[in-house]
Amino acid sequence: MKRRFIYLLPALLVLTILATGCLKNSNPPPIPYPTGTFNGQFRLLHKKLSETKVDTLKQANIQLVLETGMTFKVLGDTTTVHAGSKGQYGINSAYMAFSDDTNPKTGTPEKIHLYGNYSYIYDGSTLVILAVQGDTINYRYDLKKVN
């Protein structure tokens, strides 16, 4: 005759729950928001509606300084394509919003300003900032952290 220890099942279940609650959950630390100085390239990308190929129309070597007080500066090759910029920015886990104090209040600026909402990817050293401007124009900043 076999003995069944069914009365031990609730105690075993409680013991299992308590044991799994004691296990450590080690999530990796979150990647911090980008701050500091970043060097790299700005690219204005253009795609004709009738083609699949994307053209890099203009590019410039720039430096982006993101300060902890939520201010920014764009320095570097700001003579032809991208304007030197400064102002405030806001950030969350997927987007950055820039308010450029040098962006003209009226009319169309001659050069591109870091102004408006951008999506970004940051891995702790590489910062990629992207913006879609209409159907055919994209802005892309490929930057590496230098300090």
Side-chain angles (χ1 to χ4, degrees), residues 78-89:
T78 59
T79 57
T80 57
V81 178
H82 202 290
S85 303
K86 65 178 181 170
Q88 296 78 37
Y89 75 97

Side-chain angles (χ1 to χ4, degrees), residues 63-81:
Q63 182 178 70
L64 174 63
V65 180
L66 298 173
E67 298 169 338
T68 56
M70 303 308 281
T71 59
F72 77 95
K73 294 184 275 189
V74 175
L75 309 165
D77 181 8
T78 59
T79 57
T80 57
V81 178

